[in-house]
Amino acid sequence: MASIQKERNEIPALPPGERVKSFAEVALGFDADTARAEAARCLNCKTAPCKGGCPVGVSIPEFLAKLKDGDFTEAGKIVKATNNLPSVCGRVCPQENQCEKLCVRARAGGAVAIGACERFVGDYMLKNAPPAKKVKPIGKRAAVIGSGPAGLTAAAELANAGVSVTVFEAFHRPGGVLVYGIPEFRLPKSLVKAEIDALTARGVAVECNAVAGRTVTIDELKAEYDAIFIGTGAGLPVFLNIEGENLNGVYSANEYLTRVNLMDAYKPSSATPVRRGKRVAVIGAGNVAMDAARTAVRMGAEKVTVIYRRGREEMPARAEEIRHAEEEGVVFELLCAPLKMTGENGSVTGLKCVRMRLTEPDATGRKTPVPVANSDFTIDADVVIVALGTAPNPLLTDAYPAIAATKKGTLIVDANMRTSDPKIYAGGDAVTGAATVILAMGAGRTAGRAILESFKKTVCL
Amino acid sequence: MNKIIAKRTLAPSVNEYVIDAPAVARHALAGQFVILRVDAEGERVPFTICDFDPRAGSVTILVQEVGYTTKRLAGLNAGEYLADFAGPLGRPTDLSEFKSAVLVGGGIGAAVVYPQAKRLFGEGRPADVIIGARAKELIMYETELKTLAKNLYLTTDDGSYARKGFVTDVLKELLERGDHDCVFAVGPMPMMRAVANLTRGYNVRTVVSMNSTMVDGTGMCGCCRVSVGGEVKYACVHGPEFDGHLIDFDEAINRSRAYRDIESEHLCRLTNAVRG
């Protein structure tokens, strides 16, 4: 047997020159041989620290062992036991801050590429897994509000246990942030659709254009269902509150990405308009900012600049997204803060900025950005995209004030994701504020299990 | 998919549609709106709910042909389907705290005044209603409003019908009498601005319904943001009604024109496609 490869296999990617011309997926994924070779790099250490880094606790060494042996179906079953959407997580999880960060091989040729292996297994299961067996109904019904990662995971957890589940989605297409937010080149929509189709094949009903609290009230849901899970996501985009922010051509990242992703504004056949800027400025440096910047590149911008008030090390985006953005020609203006937006004839033309520097770390170790005197300068921009996160959406709490929320408006839950109403559970960004897909999935899973427990207490099985 | 139950033409380029949408009809309240898509490639466009019938499961909207989607809609007839129809969205309008409201509708704004007039009539305290339009053929819901209003005042810009002039001319006379404590105004933004500028002098509370452009209509995108008293508000979840005296109308009017160029390009394509 060949000796175990020392160096980590990196996931192949489309060359930058080719990527920027289309919305085709950038990261190409491992072939079977590479996936097996990479899985073989796992030392199968007893303590398995990687597992502790996974918000849903995937049995990582166990699935890698099966993958190494070429038993892809068994590997898939192990992953799917705790992670309903491995194809999605393999693509969008910040693995370098989670499982891979804790991998003991990190210092010996690089951490095992767990994310890329998970993606391979997930994709294999989507193509080859036998259709799920019908689960015997247990005579309970659950309503899931929102079809993003939290809702889909809760729905799967419940449906797998024989609960009759209906998912209520406000948009005309299910998937939540997976279809409106994360771009095609990072997460193909066909894949999200396949995951949702797999759920509906298991009997989960999905109702689109159904705005919970409006099209159907929470009281109606409570009357009709035995439990409710709220996974409505983050909500209102945050702006900077600076002059000129309501000029035309200034978008929230949510709006820009929704127009391009969900509404297909990049296709000539779509009726949804979007401004294709020549010079695009993106404010913020998280994953959403990278998605917006890389989308703008593909929409034909000549120059795309990411503006961030802290430094490179502080950028919250996944390392891979930052690297891909740089390869695609995105320029980074770090230690730079916008002061105001300038415009002509009602449309934005530029961004007045100031240079920043970071203070020495304070008692909590945090460096604060402060402006450098007399360092104002202007960045030309005919499209500005603000990607600074979101604040809670008041729609549901307005429509159903009976449910306890924080002052800010996020829903309050206990360790089992149960809200102040014993029949209603919640999870994902609606509870935490803007976070990651995998954390939302973890919450959906915890809630799903807690709902099942609550059912056991009330029925004799 | 939602079926178009009935369609009637109320004025040149203005059609009334009755849409089969039982869940929306069951929950709708005056002042709320829906978001619809004409077909699978359609944009999401908001329309204020003009009327609703929970028993029949239907919702009525009024559509004026102004852009790509409204022209596509005009090509659809009773028996055909809309791809999507979501709602009711936005906070309902509540005029119950006022003793005596004047409802002012400009052009297609009559469609938004109608449910308020109907509600106040139902509460046994019909309102004075002013409806204005460019010309006679653009006066809508005259018969219906005549029944529901305490007094119905009509104006046309060109004098082709009723009184020649603007809604503000009549409104000024009513305000001079001083027996109204609220003005509810809906119509083109310049008209709402004119009303707010007038009522400011009389210190009468003025409620306007902002017809901003939207994408999701549920607070997610911020496309519909308006400056209200220096604060950014989202028409879809904080509105659509706001205090007319606090709205930055110049900004709102500018934002409503954001896609004018792209829109006209789309329209050319549509016209060419229709021409074959």
Side-chain angles (χ1 to χ4, degrees):
Chain A
M1 184 184 155
S3 66
I4 293 171
Q5 185 184 327
K6 182 162 188 278
E7 296 301 322
R8 168 183 162 114
N9 290 286
E10 290 301 342
I11 193 161
L14 273 185
E18 232 172 275
R19 293 179 209 165
V20 299
K21 291 181 214 144
S22 82
F23 280 78
E25 187 172 19
V26 167
L28 297 173
F30 285 156
D31 57 28
D33 288 343
T34 315
R36 291 183 63 183
E38 185 60 20
R41 292 183 64 242
C42 174
L43 301 174
N44 205 5
C45 35
K46 276 213 175 68
T47 53
C50 52
K51 264 193 213 180
C54 175
V56 295
V58 169
S59 299
I60 294 166
E62 290 82 355
F63 102 76
L64 289 175
K66 293 293 176 190
L67 175 57
K68 178 187 75 177
D69 294 344
D71 190 348
F72 304 145
T73 303
E74 199 50 41
K77 280 185 189 161
I78 293 170
V79 177
K80 284 222 150 193
T82 51
N83 181 349
N84 181 55
L85 304 170
S87 291
V88 174
C89 292
R91 286 170 170 82
V92 305
C93 262
Q95 290 99 3
E96 74 267 21
N97 296 322
Q98 299 181 162
C99 52
E100 293 180 17
K101 187 183 184 180
L102 301 169
C103 175
V104 296
R105 288 220 59 158
R107 270 171 282 167
V112 175
I114 300 167
C117 288
E118 181 186 37
R119 168 184 164 150
F120 174 83
V121 167
D123 288 0
Y124 180 87
M125 293 300 276
L126 269 182
K127 280 194 209 94
N128 303 298
K133 282 179 211 148
K134 288 270 177 205
V135 183
K136 197 179 144 216
I138 61 165
K140 288 283 181 185
R141 311 186 68 202
V144 170
I145 304 173
S147 62
L152 292 181
T153 308
E157 199 73 29
L158 293 164
N160 289 346
V163 177
S164 160
V165 180
T166 304
V167 178
F168 296 88
E169 167 56 45
F171 267 137
H172 54 271
R173 188 189 297 161
V177 73
L178 306 176
V179 294
Y180 76 71
I182 303 176
E184 177 78 16
F185 56 82
R186 203 148 78 78
L187 180 66
K189 285 176 210 163
S190 58
L191 205 136
V192 180
K193 186 175 180 298
E195 294 284 11
I196 291 165
D197 287 348
L199 268 185
T200 51
R202 265 183 271 164
V204 172
V206 179
E207 277 192 34
C208 288
N209 296 317
V211 186
R214 296 287 192 202
T215 316
V216 56
T217 66
I218 305 300
D219 281 328
E220 286 171 323
L221 292 178
K222 279 177 75 175
E224 202 176 327
Y225 295 89
D226 301 296
I228 298 167
F229 174 75
I230 301 174
T232 46
L236 313 192
V238 170
F239 285 90
L240 290 145
N241 285 321
I242 60 173
E243 191 186 326
E245 209 161 26
N246 295 335
L247 286 164
N248 292 331
V250 182
Y251 291 100
S252 74
N254 264 2
E255 182 185 351
Y256 184 75
L257 290 171
T258 300
R259 283 181 184 273
V260 179
N261 295 335
L262 180 77
M263 307 309 297
D264 298 324
Y266 67 94
K267 295 180 189 163
S269 60
S270 169
T272 300
V274 70
R275 288 195 180 206
R276 294 170 181 256
K278 283 200 172 67
R279 289 172 176 270
V280 178
V282 179
I283 301 169
N287 287 320
V288 176
M290 296 309 127
D291 286 345
R294 297 175 65 200
T295 297
V297 168
R298 286 159 176 78
M299 294 296 283
E302 287 160 16
K303 186 178 182 188
V304 179
T305 309
V306 165
I307 295 163
Y308 182 50
R309 64 196 187 120
R310 297 171 190 270
R312 176 163 297 266
E313 281 172 23
E314 287 81 20
M315 286 203 282
R318 291 176 77 210
E320 189 186 15
E321 309 313 327
I322 297 170
R323 195 181 71 236
H324 281 157
E326 282 183 321
E327 288 169 359
E328 291 162 15
V330 172
V331 176
F332 288 79
E333 279 286 0
L334 303 174
L335 292 166
C336 169
L339 297 174
K340 73 171 201 176
M341 300 180 196
T342 52
E344 269 168 38
N345 302 322
S347 288
V348 71
T349 53
L351 205 52
K352 195 178 162 203
C353 297
V354 63
R355 295 279 172 212
M356 307 292 278
R357 64 179 178 82
L358 293 178
T359 59
E360 290 303 310
D362 62 13
T364 62
R366 197 171 160 82
K367 298 174 185 171
T368 311
V370 291
V372 176
N374 303 320
S375 65
D376 298 8
F377 69 106
T378 301
I379 295 173
D380 291 341
D382 51 1
V383 163
V384 174
I385 302 166
V386 182
L388 294 172
T390 54
N393 191 329
L395 195 151
L396 196 75
T397 42
D398 268 4
Y400 197 70
I403 190 167
T406 62
K407 255 188 207 156
K408 280 195 295 180
T410 48
L411 301 176
I412 297 172
V413 295
D414 65 13
N416 286 320
M417 315 310 285
R418 190 151 84 167
T419 68
S420 57
D421 185 317
K423 238 182 163 179
I424 305 179
Y425 295 71
D429 285 2
V431 168
T432 57
T436 59
V437 167
I438 188 72
L439 282 172
M441 289 178 57
R445 180 162 171 252
T446 306
R449 291 185 165 190
I451 291 170
L452 293 174
E453 278 304 308
S454 76
F455 288 167
K456 274 185 200 154
K457 282 176 197 152
T458 52
V459 227
C460 302
L461 290 174
Chain B
M1 300 285 274
N2 295 74
K3 191 174 182 173
I4 300 170
I5 301 171
K7 173 188 179 185
R8 67 180 176 134
T9 301
L10 296 189
S13 310
V14 181
N15 292 306
E16 181 194 71
Y17 295 83
V18 182
I19 310 291
D20 179 44
V24 183
R26 208 161 50 237
H27 298 101
L29 290 168
Q32 292 186 299
F33 64 92
V34 294
I35 292 235
L36 65 79
R37 287 201 320 150
V38 173
D39 57 32
E41 289 177 330
E43 58 182 332
R44 295 172 63 94
V45 184
F47 291 97
T48 306
I49 294 171
C50 175
D51 202 359
F52 50 93
D53 183 341
R55 262 182 296 175
S58 67
V59 174
T60 303
I61 56 169
L62 207 55
V63 182
Q64 182 164 31
E65 288 177 51
V66 285
Y68 180 80
T69 293
T70 48
K71 285 213 188 321
R72 292 292 314 275
L73 257 171
L76 292 180
N77 292 305
E80 294 185 274
Y81 288 81
L82 301 176
D84 301 284
F85 194 81
L89 296 164
R91 291 178 176 165
T93 301
D94 188 359
L95 301 175
S96 59
E97 62 173 294
F98 302 106
K99 280 196 212 78
S100 173
V102 190
L103 312 180
V104 187
I108 197 170
V112 189
V113 159
Y114 173 75
Q116 299 302 336
K118 189 176 172 185
R119 179 175 166 176
L120 291 172
F121 178 82
E123 289 172 4
R125 46 197 201 105
D128 283 335
V129 176
I130 310 170
I131 298 295
R134 276 201 322 274
K136 182 182 179 188
E137 66 266 28
L138 294 167
I139 295 276
M140 281 162 264
Y141 292 127
E142 182 184 352
T143 319
E144 291 88 340
L145 286 168
K146 209 167 245 167
T147 318
L148 300 173
K150 189 160 81 181
N151 299 292
L152 176 65
Y153 305 90
L154 303 174
T155 65
T156 50
D157 299 2
D158 65 356
S160 56
Y161 186 56
R163 176 170 166 175
K164 182 177 183 344
F166 300 106
V167 289
T168 41
D169 300 337
V170 179
L171 182 60
K172 191 170 189 315
E173 289 167 16
L174 294 187
L175 292 174
E176 283 294 335
R177 284 192 233 150
D179 41 12
H180 295 96
D181 60 349
C182 169
V183 173
F184 175 75
V186 200
M189 287 207 211
M191 169 256 169
M192 292 193 282
R193 176 169 58 186
V195 167
N197 285 343
L198 173 68
T199 58
R200 196 175 279 121
Y202 292 89
N203 203 20
V204 172
R205 180 66 192 278
T206 300
V207 177
V208 296
S209 182
M210 296 302 283
N211 43 355
S212 313
T213 54
M214 294 184 185
V215 184
D216 64 299
T218 62
M220 205 202 73
C221 84
C223 173
C224 66
R225 62 192 189 272
V226 286
S227 292
V228 185
E231 246 185 280
V232 171
K233 296 281 182 192
Y234 293 179
C236 64
V237 289
H238 301 128
E241 64 162 63
F242 294 104
D243 183 339
H245 292 154
L246 299 179
I247 295 267
D248 182 341
F249 277 108
D250 290 345
E251 180 187 281
I253 289 169
N254 180 55
R255 287 188 65 76
S256 72
R257 294 172 179 159
Y259 294 104
R260 203 170 252 190
D261 300 352
I262 303 177
E263 177 89 20
S264 53
E265 187 192 310
H266 265 260
L267 276 176
C268 288
R269 234 188 289 150
L270 181 70
T271 322
N272 289 338
V274 171
R275 281 188 195 134

